[in-house]
Amino acid sequence: MEPFSIATGTMDHAQNVFIRIHTDAGFYGVGECSAFPMIVGETQDTCLVMAREFARLWIRQNALDIEARMQQLHSFTAGNTTIKSAFDMALYDIAAKHAGLPLYKFLGGAVRDIETDITIGINTPEAMAQKAKHFKATGATILKVKLGKDAVSDVERIKQIRHAVGYTMRIRVDANQGWSFDDAIYALSGIAPYGIEFCEQPMRTWYDDRLPELMQLSPVKIMADESVYNHHDARRQIESGSCHYVNIKFSKSGGMLEAKKIHDTAAERNTPCMMGGMLESRIGLSAKLHFAYSSPNIKFYDMDTCMLGHLADPCVGGVKYDGYYLNIDDTPGIGADADESFLANCERFTVE
């Protein structure tokens, strides 16, 4: 992919893993995850090693008992939420196909308009402002701006972007844990006059105990991202007054089973959520769209992954972009699969 920079580093390729789980009913489920080592601590290689172990656990097990299958993985190993999410996704694909329903209907959802933001990676203020103008010209109405390298420069980045696009576009920012407490106060106070919707994860998670204080001082609303991996994290963050919003990502939650618990925990506490992700292809993006359709407390959509410079599209079927809106047809299951011609050039193995 085109190089893309955030506060924790630069990615020039996506470390994705694709799986198929075959059933004795004659069909299979698909799953995809995207390792992002600077955030979750997994790589493509670690995902592949754990995938072999997980696959052995599930031979001749009931694929429709999703909770039991996922508990097997959690009992086998802590963490490894990225590769767990691919296995979770494949189970939900199987369950929806078995029911003859698109996944969102299987989950009790309904189609609604979903417009994604579009992300601007860290660069010079001038380059980021030019990118913002380009996105506006292509019809974007919501910008997500990566910050977190330097608080002073970050304020200048937002100032120039806002001046470039005017005040009709919504702007949200993501510091990816890049600021100290003092830098967060400086940056959030400095960017507030430019009409910022919210800031994701301003500080490292080891400063979570200072988030209630930051919430009291910040003129910009705070969204928890890396601070929330599961519904217990969500409960702690919300009840301690540490965030206004929560970002849900399958690579953190280990998939849809736990993502639904995060969603419900936040909904019970009147805390809206965002559907986020790593660098998934349209396969993983399709599952995210189905989940968003079935999750009414998801109010924000950061689902622009496949617009950020992927130089290959390994997906057949699946989600499509209509400008910055997403849609998908009613094919049973996730409705997406991998292109066999793409897979022919990939490392692959089978466990049976």
Side-chain angles (χ1 to χ4, degrees):
M1 59 183 297
E2 297 288 348
F4 185 78
S5 296
I6 65 174
T8 51
T10 299
M11 295 285 281
D12 60 8
H13 64 285
Q15 298 189 36
N16 294 9
V17 172
F18 172 73
I19 70 169
R20 288 176 175 149
I21 297 178
H22 296 264
T23 71
D24 60 7
F27 56 85
Y28 58 79
V30 304
E32 183 197 23
C33 63
S34 181
F36 210 102
M38 298 95 78
I39 301 295
V40 183
E42 295 169 83
T43 67
Q44 189 176 57
D45 286 340
T46 66
C47 286
L48 289 168
V49 169
M50 295 309 298
R52 290 178 172 88
E53 302 292 338
F54 292 169
R56 294 187 186 103
L57 294 174
W58 282 4
I59 298 295
R60 290 181 293 277
Q61 299 293 309
N62 179 7
L64 297 178
D65 192 345
I66 296 175
E67 193 150 358
R69 296 292 71 76
M70 292 307 296
Q71 187 56 53
Q72 276 185 288
L73 305 191
H74 299 322
S75 297
F76 179 77
T77 184
N80 294 278
T81 51
T82 301
I83 187 59
K84 283 177 179 175
S85 72
F87 279 73
D88 167 285
M89 190 183 298
L91 290 183
Y92 276 98
D93 191 29
I94 289 168
K97 286 175 177 173
H98 179 261
L101 296 170
L103 180 57
Y104 76 87
K105 288 186 178 178
F106 176 78
L107 295 172
V111 172
R112 54 195 168 99
D113 285 343
I114 288 183
E115 180 186 11
T116 184
D117 59 23
I118 185 70
T119 306
I120 300 175
I122 294 177
N123 205 325
T124 64
E126 295 77 14
M128 293 172 73
Q130 284 300 116
K131 180 69 75 171
K133 287 177 66 175
H134 166 73
F135 286 145
K136 182 180 181 180
T138 62
T141 66
I142 312 166
L143 295 175
K144 175 175 172 177
V145 181
K146 293 290 188 178
L147 303 176
K149 282 287 191 183
D150 172 73
V152 175
S153 299
D154 286 339
V155 173
E156 183 63 21
R157 289 180 170 101
I158 294 301
K159 176 184 177 181
Q160 292 203 27
I161 288 170
R162 181 54 87 190
H163 287 168
V165 301
Y167 279 80
T168 57
M169 297 189 80
R170 290 156 61 189
I171 296 179
R172 54 189 62 154
V173 304
D174 184 2
N176 282 114
Q177 307 183 77
W179 294 323
S180 66
F181 180 85
D182 290 341
D183 282 347
I185 293 296
Y186 177 90
L188 293 169
S189 298
I191 66 177
Y194 301 108
I196 305 304
E197 190 173 24
F198 57 76
C199 173
E200 284 183 63
Q201 200 68 30
M203 303 183 296
R204 286 280 182 181
T205 56
W206 53 66
Y207 293 128
D208 279 358
D209 60 315
R210 301 204 70 182
L211 281 170
E213 183 183 358
L214 182 64
M215 288 273 286
Q216 295 298 315
L217 296 172
S218 173
V220 175
K221 291 188 175 182
I222 304 299
M223 176 178 283
D225 184 0
E226 290 91 340
S227 292
V228 174
Y229 273 63
N230 55 55
H231 72 284
H232 300 294
D233 294 337
R235 172 182 50 80
R236 286 196 298 265
Q237 287 285 303
I238 296 166
E239 293 185 355
S240 63
S242 297
C243 66
H244 297 96
Y245 309 123
V246 171
N247 190 352
I248 296 175
K249 295 176 180 174
F250 296 157
S251 55
K252 294 185 302 167
S253 68
M256 284 177 264
L257 184 66
E258 182 62 29
K260 178 65 163 58
K261 295 178 182 178
I262 296 171
H263 170 274
D264 292 351
T265 296
E268 290 162 3
R269 291 158 177 81
N270 298 311
T271 302
C273 296
M274 181 160 80
M275 186 78 255
M278 297 304 188
L279 297 174
E280 297 89 352
S281 76
R282 289 191 304 109
I283 300 168
L285 181 64
S286 297
K288 290 193 287 183
L289 181 59
H290 284 291
F291 184 79
Y293 279 157
S294 61
S295 304
N297 192 48
I298 293 179
K299 307 294 186 183
F300 310 107
Y301 311 101
D302 180 31
M303 301 173 68
D304 61 342
T305 296
C306 303
M307 306 173 81
L308 291 180
H310 279 208
L311 301 179
D313 180 9
C315 180
V316 292
V319 64
K320 296 179 176 66
Y321 289 103
D322 179 9
Y324 291 89
Y325 286 85
L326 291 83
N327 55 69
I328 197 166
D329 63 29
D330 276 355
T331 302
I334 291 172
D337 205 340
D339 186 331
E340 291 297 335
S341 63
F342 183 88
L343 292 181
N345 296 312
C346 294
E347 176 185 357
R348 59 196 299 169
F349 58 85
T350 301
V351 175
E352 56 187 358

